[in-house]
Amino acid sequence: MARKQQYKVTTRLVHGPEHSAKWDFTHHVTPPLSSSTTYRLDSAKRGARGFQEFGQLVTDVGETPVYIYDRLDEPTRSILEGELAELEQGESCVTFASGMAAISGALGATLKAGDEVIAHPVLYGCTHSLFQNWYPRLGIGVKRVDMNALASVRAAVSDATRVLYFESPVNPSLELIDVRALRRLVDELNVGRADDRKLLIFIDNTFATPFGQRPLALGADVVLHSLTKNLGGFGTELGGAVICPKEMHARLLLYRKDFGGILSSKAAWAILVYGLPTLALRLKRQQFTARKVAAWLEKQPEVARVAYPGLPSFPQRALAESQLVDFDGDFAPGNMIFFELDPRKAPPEEFIDELARSAYSVTLAVSLGHTKTLIELPSSMTHSSYGKQGGAVRLSIGLESPSDIVNDLKAALDKVAVRTKGGEKPRRKK
Ligand SMILES: Cc1ncc(COP(=O)(O)O)c(C=O)c1O
């Protein structure tokens, strides 16, 4: 371990752990993939010990845990968890079957009936749906408050409040929440609250990843991820992760064991072997392209507004520069762009349909953080649970050549703009 710490994070991402107490694979260059639903226990005593020790935080200086059954714990997954905890500068990590399983698991292991969450108004559509459709049934209150309006947050906090929940950057608007400012407020509000009633800051760091933002260092308590996106990176695996203080670890493992939403070892292995070692490379390249695409979009007459943290026009540019910082200390504005079209010049649905019909380098699909550039309309797709209309577009930049992406966007804008001007009906895809 000591030797590994001398190297830069980008190098450590490529090489992973030198050694793991979870599983001795010292002579493998690539970590092996474990795939066993159940484990030989040798003796009744060993079986009993395994159950007794389950949920205890095993560190790399400790003994190899007694593995019992895949749903409790297994080595490939726990090696990935060690890596993710280290990247986020956290004490421990528990992975889940998907980002939503991680979010509902972290909240579920923390909250009980009668408790309350304060959540930012704009969230990923399924997180919004979790709060709208399920929390009322569970007797958990949800207040929606702008996390940057600190006076409103202060006013909303009650004895029942346990969690302040948000994404930063927000999906899809890319608005940022000032985590340090929220930490200061929470520290003040936590004075006098019992340990088990202290307010906790939960942040979904899916958009930035630890490459572009380490929220625990900024003051968050719990970091959530959809591993399906940038961390997995290739669009082949679903997964989620919770990075949390060690006192939450056992409860999360227990929750995961009983609710059952485990990350499969095969998905964990792919994220460990392909996703993490290429994370910095992919994101650096994607944000290089995103800067170019965002700057180009901003100049187009059909585009009413572009939100990209790397643009000088980004309204929270100073906050972006202080929060979105990569492992080397460089500004990391990310690979996501959000923009609004002027519907009189380029109706968004027609633009999207034109791309779906004609573009090669831009794909109409939800999800993000993929090798391929993906475009979608949040109001009718990922965020349809809000039930709001709107023509904004979310673009996740991939690894293609920047000029190809720009040319595909341009060709679609040209077509739609010409049609709109001429008043012709667009041809619909059959
Ligand atoms: C910010 C954010 N959080 C969580 C999720 C949920 O992740 P998953 O699809 O892996 O459940 C998504 C999915 O798009 C997301 O964008």
Side-chain angles (χ1 to χ4, degrees), residues 98-101 103 124 127 167 171 204 206-207 226-229 238-240 367-368 382 394:
S98 67
M100 285 317 302
I103 292 165
Y124 168 56
T127 311
E167 298 152 5
N171 181 2
D204 180 334
T206 297
F207 270 30
S226 167
L227 302 175
T228 318
K229 320 294 177 196
L238 274 165
S367 204
L368 57 107
T382 51
R394 191 185 78 181

Side-chain angles (χ1 to χ4, degrees), residues 104 107-108 111 117 130-140 142:
S104 58
L107 289 164
L111 299 166
V117 180
L130 176 73
F131 289 146
Q132 291 300 112
N133 293 321
W134 298 102
Y135 276 35
R137 292 167 58 125
L138 300 176
I140 297 170
V142 183

Side-chain angles (χ1 to χ4, degrees), residues 285-300:
R285 167 70 186 184
Q286 289 172 348
Q287 72 189 15
F288 166 80
T289 305
R291 274 182 203 248
K292 286 183 183 279
V293 174
W296 177 83
L297 278 169
E298 207 169 35
K299 285 188 269 172
Q300 307 315 306

Side-chain angles (χ1 to χ4, degrees), residues 96 102-117 135 140 160-165 195-202 221-222 224 242-245 247-249 251-252 255 259:
F96 283 85
I103 292 165
S104 58
L107 289 164
T110 307
L111 299 166
K112 57 178 173 21
D115 285 349
E116 188 179 84
V117 180
Y135 276 35
I140 297 170
T161 314
R162 261 306 255 157
V163 171
L164 305 185
Y165 189 96
D195 276 353
D196 63 350
R197 297 303 307 162
K198 292 226 188 288
L199 302 170
L200 297 169
I201 299 177
F202 279 39
D221 295 291
V222 175
L224 301 149
V242 182
I243 295 93
C244 59
E247 57 269 19
M248 274 181 74
H249 182 85
R251 205 151 19 101
L252 273 172
Y255 185 99
F259 284 81

Side-chain angles (χ1 to χ4, degrees), residues 150-167:
L150 295 180
S152 309
V153 177
R154 181 194 290 276
V157 167
S158 72
D159 289 345
T161 314
R162 261 306 255 157
V163 171
L164 305 185
Y165 189 96
F166 57 92
E167 298 152 5

Side-chain angles (χ1 to χ4, degrees), residues 57-76:
L57 198 62
V58 178
T59 64
D60 271 358
V61 289
E63 261 184 285
T64 306
V66 176
Y67 291 115
I68 304 160
Y69 185 63
D70 186 325
R71 182 157 42 72
L72 277 62
D73 207 359
E74 79 82 52
T76 310

Side-chain angles (χ1 to χ4, degrees), residues 166-187:
F166 57 92
E167 298 152 5
S168 185
V170 171
N171 181 2
S173 66
L174 300 182
E175 184 198 353
L176 306 180
I177 308 301
D178 187 338
V179 184
R180 292 186 190 95
L182 204 57
R183 177 79 258 161
R184 284 193 292 274
L185 176 68
V186 164
D187 281 345

Side-chain angles (χ1 to χ4, degrees), residues 1 40 99 150 207 264 335 369:
M1 269 292 132
R40 181 178 296 116
L150 295 180
F207 270 30
S264 82
N335 55 9

